[in-house]
Amino acid sequence: MPRALVVFAHPVPESLNAAAHRVAVETLAAKGWDVDDCDLYAEGFDPVLSTEERRNYHDTAINTGPVQTYVDRLRAAEAFILCFPVWNFGYPAILKGYFDRVMLPGVTFDLADGKLTPCLNNIRKIAAITSYGSTPLRAFLAGDPPKKLFKRSLWGTMRPEKMRYIAQYDMNNITQADCDAFLARVRSEMEAF
Ligand SMILES: Cc1cc2nc3c(=O)[nH]c(=O)nc-3n(C[C@H](O)[C@H](O)[C@H](O)COP(=O)(O)O)c2cc1C
């Protein structure tokens, strides 16, 4: 059974992101994925890269030590799904810290003679499920950093065959029907994933 790692970053169970996360996990499981549901808040993930971790960052013999279980989970996955709200046009701090601490040299990329080579070759599919307070235009005018982080930086790291960016914009003005439509979209995207 192929494994899907779902990394979820929202502290509030009654949020739209939490609802989208539940829909994604349930739908993937129903479609036959072995879902590894990584709820960063519930797991108490510490997002702070420590002094020692920074000193050892490039030492691939020991750099994974403090986050070995998270590295193992990443290496076991064929699909990687992020579920997060856009905060300050980026990832919430707990998710940013996941990238800082887990996506290490020797895990997602090799660094030799100053040249980066992607090395996390097990991920075939990636998806982001996210929401913005901004309208699409306002996000575009701001450069939409989370979309670029996902579609350019993460794509470059994982080189997946399939990539989906599933976003709900304008959260400050949408209706319950819009929320329901977004959750239906999450369901159909995960069914087809
Ligand atoms: C700390 C914080 C920072 C935010 N920064 C942005 C932002 O930079 N751009 C944006 O479009 N929305 C921003 N928002 C709005 C969130 O994206 C919005 O609250 C969220 O998508 C709503 O989904 P939820 O109900 O799942 O929390 C911010 C919200 C919070 C709490």
Side-chain angles (χ1 to χ4, degrees), residues 10 15-17 85-89 131-134 171:
H10 198 299
S15 64
L16 180 65
N17 273 265
V86 169
W87 287 353
N88 288 295
F89 281 117
S131 66
Y132 297 67
S134 305
M171 282 293 294

Side-chain angles (χ1 to χ4, degrees), residues 11-29:
V12 179
E14 62 273 22
S15 64
L16 180 65
N17 273 265
H21 165 245
R22 284 192 292 273
V23 168
V25 167
E26 286 166 14
T27 309
L28 288 165

